[in-house]
Amino acid sequence: MSDPGTTLAAWHATVWAMLAAGVRDARAPARLPVLATVGVDGWPQARMVVLRAADAVAGVVEVHTDVLSPKVADLRTTPRAALQVWDAGGRLQIRLRCAVRVLTGAAVQGQWGRVPDLSRLAYGAVPPPGAPVPGPGDYGTEPGPGRFAVLRCEVMAMDVLHLGTPHRRAGFDRADGWRGQWLVP
Ligand SMILES: Cc1cc2nc3c(=O)[nH]c(=O)nc-3n(C[C@H](O)[C@H](O)[C@H](O)COP(=O)(O)O)c2cc1C
């Protein structure tokens, strides 16, 4: 992705174009954002995830996960997350502040139906993700729709940093209709 342009509107559009590219192209920079949550113990927790959906009109992105993974417990306790993307080629950092809903069961039947068989193995480790085991291979998988969750991340605010010459930064808020504001980098 190249220069985000010179207007706030162009920057906003660039962010959503990058997110959309991440969903459809496994090699795009936004394919693998870092998802940060507030841990149930109060410590920050960050991990890489695959971006599965990006809806510019609704301002929503989605991530798939195992319902028994610790991040789901984090989000059920504190339904807030940050997503971070770095586009090294475009020298652009995107940070999204999100309000997250954990969707399961009938609400995610459609998405589960589109998960390829091999990928389904990611949703069903026994014992569950993060559980202590005697050795590194001492776990199995019992994948199924009951273990599948979609993290529906409603973007509330964005922070965008472009490391060009000069460095430039902008903030965008849902509350003001994504009007945007230039910020000191
Ligand atoms: C390249 C890459 C992609 C990943 N994609 C996902 C993903 O889409 N969903 C997911 O739950 N975990 C994904 N993971 C694993 C997470 O980073 C994390 O290790 C795991 O979900 C457990 O996190 P938790 O204990 O914080 O819940 C991915 C890891 C890597 C390295």
Side-chain angles (χ1 to χ4, degrees), residues 52 65-66 112 115-127 129 139-145 147-148:
R52 298 293 182 182
T65 197
D66 183 333
W112 174 254
V115 177
D117 282 348
L118 210 58
S119 305
R120 288 185 176 190
L121 295 174
Y123 313 102
V126 179
Y139 67 95
T141 46
E142 292 173 12
R147 290 289 294 274
F148 180 66

Side-chain angles (χ1 to χ4, degrees), residues 32 47-50 52 63-66 69-71:
L32 295 173
R47 79 288 282 162
M48 202 166 269
V49 290
V50 177
R52 298 293 182 182
V63 169
H64 295 175
T65 197
D66 183 333
S69 69
K71 70 180 79 54

Side-chain angles (χ1 to χ4, degrees), residues 79-150:
R80 295 175 178 170
L83 278 161
Q84 187 261 353
V85 170
W86 166 238
D87 174 1
R91 302 191 62 72
L92 196 72
Q93 172 179 258
I94 299 171
R95 297 154 72 193
L96 307 179
R97 177 189 291 188
C98 301
V100 184
R101 281 171 58 205
V102 179
L103 304 179
T104 57
V108 298
Q109 215 176 350
Q111 287 104 320
W112 174 254
R114 290 188 291 277
V115 177
D117 282 348
L118 210 58
S119 305
R120 288 185 176 190
L121 295 174
Y123 313 102
V126 179
V133 284
D138 293 339
Y139 67 95
T141 46
E142 292 173 12
R147 290 289 294 274
F148 180 66
V150 174

